C-alpha cells in the first residue's frame, strides 16, 4: 500500500515535473504564439484601423459628395422654383395684358357700336325730318300742275310726254315740237285721283333721236330746263331751273336763283327720302324735325310763288317770240378756210328744200338768203341747214328758226362743241353782207370767154377730160385724145346769152390706170388747173387751182 502511495506520489511528482517541463515549453511556446498573435492582432487591428479610416474617409467623402449633391439639388430646385415663379409671374402679366387688351377692344367695339347707333339714329331722324317736310309740302297741292319747259338741248325737241306712274296712262303728250332756245308752259289739271303721292314719268325726244326720261316728277309747279345728253352732270336730263336769260331784271334773277336752289334742294331731298322711306316711316320726327318741316313748307310756298313769276316771265317771252319777221333773212359767212361747195335749207315739217346754193361760197365771202313768210309759217317753223366744203366735210344744224340772223359757217376742227355754225351780232352781219354784195357785183363781171389750162400732174396719162354744163347737162368739151403726164392743154368756151354768173360745169378726167376724178363746181372763168392723182389729194378735191 505504501508502495502504491509512494508510487503514486512519484507518479504525481513525475507528472508534475513533466507538466512543469511541459508547461515551461508550452509557456515559451505560448508566449511566442501570443507575441505573434499580438503582432498579428496589432497588424490586423492596424489594418482594420486603416480600413476603418479609409472607410470613414470614404464615408466622409461620400457624405460630402452627398451633401454637395443635396446642395446642388437644392440649388437647382431653388433655381427651378425661381424660374417657375418668374414664368408664373410672366404668364400672369401676359394674361393680365390680354385681359386688358380684350377689355380695351371690347370698349372700342362698344364705343364704335354706340357711335354707329347714334349715326344711324341721326340719319333716321334726319330722314324722318325730310319726309315730314316733304309730306307737309306735298299735301298742299296746286289746283293744276304747271311745268315751264325750256329747250336748251341744242336741237329741236319733237315730243314731250307725261305718264302717270300709278295708272300707266299718258297724262300729256305734246308732239308739236319745241325749237332750241324756245320755251312752253304745259299744264295738267288736278282731279279726284291726284294725291300728294301722285308722280309722273317725264320724257322727251330730240330731233337727233336722243330720248331722255325722269321717273319721279311730282304734281307741282316748276321750271324745267331740258339739256343735251353730253351736257348732263349726272343721270338727270334736265334742271329744275330756268335758263339765265329767262329773267328780265336783277331782282328777278336773284329771286329765281334762290328759287332754283330751293327746288334743286327739294329734288335732292326727294331722292334721299325715296331711299330711306321704309326706315323713315318707322321713325318718329322730333320737335326739331317738325320745326324743319314747317320751315320747308314755308320755303315750298315761296318757291311756288317765285315759280309762278318765272312762268309768267316765260309766257311773256314766248308771246314776244311769236312776233315773226315778214321774211327770214340769213347772211352766211364762209369761215371754214376753204370753199363751201353747197348750202342747203330744208323745212323740218314738210321736208322740202327751200334753198339750195349749189354754186357754193368762196372762203371769206358772204351770201344772203331770204325766205318770204306765208300762211304755212308759224313760230314753230324751223329748218335744217347743211353745208359741204371742198375737202368733203359735211356739216348740219337742225334747228334754224324763221328769223333774221348772221351765221358763220366754221370748219370741223374749229368747232367748240357739236354745232358747226356761230350766230353773229347784227352789226357784224351788216358788214359781212355789204362785203358779200360787193363780191357778188364783182363776180357778175364775166370774161368774154372761159379759158381753162389743164396741167397733167397725175404721174400717168390722162385718157379723157370732159366738161358738162350743170344746168343743161350738155357736154361742152370732151378731150378724148387725152393728155400725156407732165403735158398741158388749153380749153376755151365762148360766152353766149345762156351763160350767167350762175353758170357752172362738172369737170371729170380719167387716167390710164382707171382712176376717175370729178369736180362739180367749176365756174365760167379763166383758170389754170392742175390734175392730181388720187394718192396726192389733200382732201376730197382731185384738182388744184394755180395762179
Amino acid at each position: 500500500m505504501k508502495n502504491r502511495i509512494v508510487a503514486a506520489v512519484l507518479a504525481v511528482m513525475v507528472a508534475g515535473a513533466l507538466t512543469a517541463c511541459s508547461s515551461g515549453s508550452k509557456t515559451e511556446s505560448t508566449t511566442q504564439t501570443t507575441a505573434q498573435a499580438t503582432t498579428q492582432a496589432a497588424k490586423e487591428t492596424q489594418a482594420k484601423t486603416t480600413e476603418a479610416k479609409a472607410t470613414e474617409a470614404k464615408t466622409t467623402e461620400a457624405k460630402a459628395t452627398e451633401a454637395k449633391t443635396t446642395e446642388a439639388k437644392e440649388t437647382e430646385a431653388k433655381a427651378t422654383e425661381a424660374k417657375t415663379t418668374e414664368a408664373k409671374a410672366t404668364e400672369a402679366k401676359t394674361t393680365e395684358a390680354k385681359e386688358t387688351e380684350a377689355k380695351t377692344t371690347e370698349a372700342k367695339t362698344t364705343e364704335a357700336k354706340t357711335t354707329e347707333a347714334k349715326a344711324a339714329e341721326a340719319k333716321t331722324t334726319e330722314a324722318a325730318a325730310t319726309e315730314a317736310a316733304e309730306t307737309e309740302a306735298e299735301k298742299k297741292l296746286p289746283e293744276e300742275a304747271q311745268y315751264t319747259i325750256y329747250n336748251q338741248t341744242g336741237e329741236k325737241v319733237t315730243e314731250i310726254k307725261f305718264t302717270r306712274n300709278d295708272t300707266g296712262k299718258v297724262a300729256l303728250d305734246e308732239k308739236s315740237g319745241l325749237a332750241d332756245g324756245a320755251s312752253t308752259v304745259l299744264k295738267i289739271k288736278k282731279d279726284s285721283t291726284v294725291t300728294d303721292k301722285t308722280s309722273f314719268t317725264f320724257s322727251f325726244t330730240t330731233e337727233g333721236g336722243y330720248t331722255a326720261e325722269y321717273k319721279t316728277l311730282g304734281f307741282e309747279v316748276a321750271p324745267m330746263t331740258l339739256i343735251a345728253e353730253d351736257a348732263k352732270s349726272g343721270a338727270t336730263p334736265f334742271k329744275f331751273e330756268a335758263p339765265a336769260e329767262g329773267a328780265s331784271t336783277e331782282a328777278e334773277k336773284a329771286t329765281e336763283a334762290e328759287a332754283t336752289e330751293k327746288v334743286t334742294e327739294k329734288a335732292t331731298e326727294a331722292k334721299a327720302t325715296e331711299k330711306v322711306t321704309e326706315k323713315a316711316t318707322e321713325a318718329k320726327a322730333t320737335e326739331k324735325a317738325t320745326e324743319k318741316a314747317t320751315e320747308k313748307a314755308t320755303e315750298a310756298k315761296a318757291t311756288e310763288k317765285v315759280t309762278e313769276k318765272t312762268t309768267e316771265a316765260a309766257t311773256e317771252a314766248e308771246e314776244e317770240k311769236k312776233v315773226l319777221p315778214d321774211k327770214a333773212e340769213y347772211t352766211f359767212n364762209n369761215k371754214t378756210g376753204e370753199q363751201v361747195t353747197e348750202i342747203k335749207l330744208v323745212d323740218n315739217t314738210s321736208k322740202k328744200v327751200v334753198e339750195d346754193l349749189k354754186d357754193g361760197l368762196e372762203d371769206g365771202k358772204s351770201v344772203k338768203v331770204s325766205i318770204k313768210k306765208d300762211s304755212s309759217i308759224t313760230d314753230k317753223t324751223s329748218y335744217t341747214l347743211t353745208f359741204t366744203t371742198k375737202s368733203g366735210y359735211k356739216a348740219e344744224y337742225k334747228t334754224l328758226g324763221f328769223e333774221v340772223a348772221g351765221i358763220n359757217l366754221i370748219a370741223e376742227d374749229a368747232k367748240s362743241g357739236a354745232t358747226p355754225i356761230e350766230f353773229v351780232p347784227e352789226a357784224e352781219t351788216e358788214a359781212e353782207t355789204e362785203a358779200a354784195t360787193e363780191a357778188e357785183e364783182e363776180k357778175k363781171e364775166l370774161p368774154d370767154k372761159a379759158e381753162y389750162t389743164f396741167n397733167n400732174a397725175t404721174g400717168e396719162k390722162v385718157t379723157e377730160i370732159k366738161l358738162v354744163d350743170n344746168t343743161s347737162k350738155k357736154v361742152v368739151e370732151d378731150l378724148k385724145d387725152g393728155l400725156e403726164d407732165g403735158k398741158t392743154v388749153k380749153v376755151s368756151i365762148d360766152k353766149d346769152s345762156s351763160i350767167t354768173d350762175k353758170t357752172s360745169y362738172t369737170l371729170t378726167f380719167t387716167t390710164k390706170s382707171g382712176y376717175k376724178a370729178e369736180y362739180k363746181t367749176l365756174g365760167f372763168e379763166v383758170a389754170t388747173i392742175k390734175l392730181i392723182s388720187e394718192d396726192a389729194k389733200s382732201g376730197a378735191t382731185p384738182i388744184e387751182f394755180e395762179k
Side-chain angles (χ1 to χ4, degrees):
M1 182 69 152
K2 193 178 177 179
N3 289 332
R4 287 181 183 181
I5 294 169
V6 171
V9 173
L10 287 171
V12 172
M13 288 175 67
V14 170
L18 288 172
T19 303
C21 264
S22 174
S23 296
S25 178
K26 285 182 181 178
T27 302
E28 184 180 354
S29 175
T30 301
T31 302
Q32 188 176 1
T33 301
T34 303
Q36 289 178 347
T38 302
T39 300
Q40 183 68 31
K43 288 181 180 178
E44 289 177 357
T45 301
Q46 186 178 3
K48 286 181 181 179
T49 301
T50 301
E51 183 179 357
K53 286 181 179 179
T55 302
E56 184 181 357
K58 286 182 180 178
T59 302
T60 302
E61 184 180 358
K63 286 180 179 180
T65 301
E66 183 179 358
K68 286 181 180 178
T69 302
T70 302
E71 184 180 359
K73 286 182 179 180
E74 287 176 355
T75 302
E76 184 179 359
K78 287 179 181 178
T80 302
E81 184 179 359
K83 287 182 181 178
T84 303
T85 303
E86 184 180 358
K88 287 182 179 179
T90 302
E91 183 179 358
K93 287 181 180 178
T94 303
T95 303
E96 184 180 359
K98 287 182 178 179
E99 288 176 355
T100 301
E101 184 179 359
K103 287 179 181 179
T104 302
T105 303
E106 183 179 0
K108 287 183 179 178
T109 303
T110 304
E111 183 181 358
K113 287 182 178 179
T114 303
T115 303
E116 184 178 355
K118 286 181 180 178
E121 183 180 355
K123 285 183 180 178
T124 303
T125 302
E126 185 180 354
T130 302
E131 185 186 18
E134 290 301 316
T135 302
E136 185 68 23
E138 288 175 1
K139 283 180 181 177
K140 297 181 181 179
L141 295 175
E143 290 304 313
E144 66 177 1
Q146 188 169 285
Y147 309 95
T148 305
I149 311 295
Y150 299 90
N151 182 5
Q152 297 290 315
T153 62
E155 57 181 321
K156 181 180 179 180
V157 171
T158 56
E159 183 178 13
I160 301 173
K161 186 187 290 186
F162 294 79
T163 304
R164 281 275 294 262
N165 289 327
D166 53 352
T167 63
K169 292 182 179 179
V170 176
L172 180 63
D173 192 0
E174 178 58 52
K175 293 184 177 181
S176 61
L178 184 62
D180 181 45
S183 63
T184 186
V185 178
L186 300 179
K187 301 177 181 179
I188 302 174
K189 290 185 177 180
K190 185 171 72 174
D191 58 27
S192 58
T193 66
V194 175
T195 69
D196 59 306
K197 303 295 184 184
T198 299
S199 64
F200 302 92
T201 292
F202 169 75
S203 63
F204 67 88
T205 303
T206 67
E207 194 168 44
Y210 167 54
T211 298
E213 187 177 67
Y214 181 75
K215 295 184 177 181
T216 56
L217 183 64
F219 189 88
E220 58 191 302
V221 175
M224 299 168 65
T225 298
L226 312 185
I227 55 179
E229 185 172 20
D230 56 5
K232 293 193 298 180
S233 59
T236 308
F238 66 88
K239 299 176 181 177
F240 280 105
E241 60 183 27
E245 62 269 21
S248 58
T249 67
E250 290 301 322
E252 287 178 354
K253 284 182 181 179
T255 305
E256 283 184 13
E258 184 179 353
T260 299
E261 184 180 350
K262 294 185 187 302
V263 173
T264 304
E265 182 183 347
K266 181 180 175 184
T268 304
E269 290 177 353
K271 287 183 180 179
T273 302
E274 185 177 349
K275 291 181 180 179
V276 297
T277 301
E278 294 179 1
K279 290 183 179 179
T281 303
E282 296 172 358
K284 293 182 180 180
T286 61
E287 186 175 351
K288 285 187 178 180
T290 305
E291 289 175 0
K292 285 185 179 179
T294 305
E295 289 175 6
K296 298 277 183 185
T298 304
E299 289 173 358
K301 287 181 182 179
T303 301
E304 186 176 342
K305 288 182 180 179
V306 173
T307 304
E308 287 176 359
K309 287 185 179 180
T310 304
T311 304
E312 289 173 5
T315 304
E316 289 174 4
E318 185 69 18
E319 288 174 354
E320 287 177 6
K321 191 170 182 180
K322 289 179 182 178
V323 180
L324 298 175
D326 293 331
K327 64 178 179 179
E329 195 167 74
Y330 310 102
T331 302
F332 296 111
N333 306 314
N334 184 359
K335 302 287 187 181
T336 63
E338 60 178 320
Q339 183 181 352
V340 170
T341 56
E342 184 178 14
I343 301 173
K344 187 187 291 186
L345 287 173
V346 177
D347 188 298
N348 288 327
T349 303
S350 66
K351 306 302 179 185
K352 290 182 180 179
V353 176
V354 296
E355 187 64 54
D356 192 358
L357 302 179
K358 292 185 177 180
D359 293 336
L361 184 62
E362 293 293 328
D363 180 45
K365 303 296 183 182
S366 299
V367 65
K368 186 178 287 186
V369 173
S370 299
I371 303 173
K372 290 183 178 179
K373 186 171 70 174
D374 58 29
S375 59
S376 68
I377 293 174
T378 69
D379 61 308
K380 305 293 185 183
T381 299
S382 65
Y383 305 97
T384 292
L385 160 67
T386 59
F387 66 89
T388 306
T389 67
K390 188 176 179 180
S391 65
Y393 167 53
K394 188 171 183 179
E396 185 177 64
Y397 182 75
K398 295 183 176 181
T399 55
L400 186 62
F402 189 86
E403 58 191 305
V404 176
I407 299 170
N408 288 340
L409 311 181
I410 56 179
E412 185 172 21
D413 57 3
K415 294 192 298 181
S416 59
T419 308
I421 65 171
E422 293 174 344
F423 287 92
V424 296
E426 187 175 350
E428 187 178 336
T429 302
E430 291 175 357
E432 294 282 1
T433 303
E434 290 176 5
T437 303
E438 290 174 4
E440 189 68 19
E441 289 173 354
E442 288 177 6
K443 192 175 180 182
K444 288 179 181 178
E445 296 178 5
L446 297 176
D448 293 334
K449 65 178 179 180
E451 196 168 73
Y452 310 102
T453 302
F454 297 110
N455 299 326
N456 182 3
T458 62
E460 60 180 320
K461 182 180 180 180
V462 170
T463 56
E464 185 178 13
I465 301 174
K466 186 187 291 185
L467 287 173
V468 177
D469 188 299
N470 287 328
T471 304
S472 66
K473 306 302 179 184
K474 290 181 179 179
V475 176
V476 296
E477 188 64 56
D478 191 358
L479 301 178
K480 293 185 178 181
D481 294 336
L483 184 63
E484 292 294 329
D485 181 45
K487 299 297 182 180
T488 300
V489 65
K490 187 176 288 186
V491 172
S492 298
I493 303 173
D494 291 331
K495 186 171 70 173
D496 59 27
S497 58
S498 68
I499 293 174
T500 69
D501 60 310
K502 304 292 185 183
T503 299
S504 66
Y505 306 98
T506 293
L507 162 66
T508 60
F509 66 88
T510 306
T511 67
K512 189 175 180 179
S513 65
Y515 168 53
K516 188 171 184 178
E518 185 178 64
Y519 182 74
K520 293 183 177 181
T521 56
L522 186 62
F524 189 87
E525 58 190 305
V526 176
T528 300
I529 299 169
K530 182 192 289 187
L531 310 181
I532 57 179
S533 62
E534 185 173 20
D535 57 4
K537 292 191 299 180
S538 58
T541 308
I543 65 172
E544 291 179 0
F545 287 90
E546 298 182 324
K547 292 182 180 180

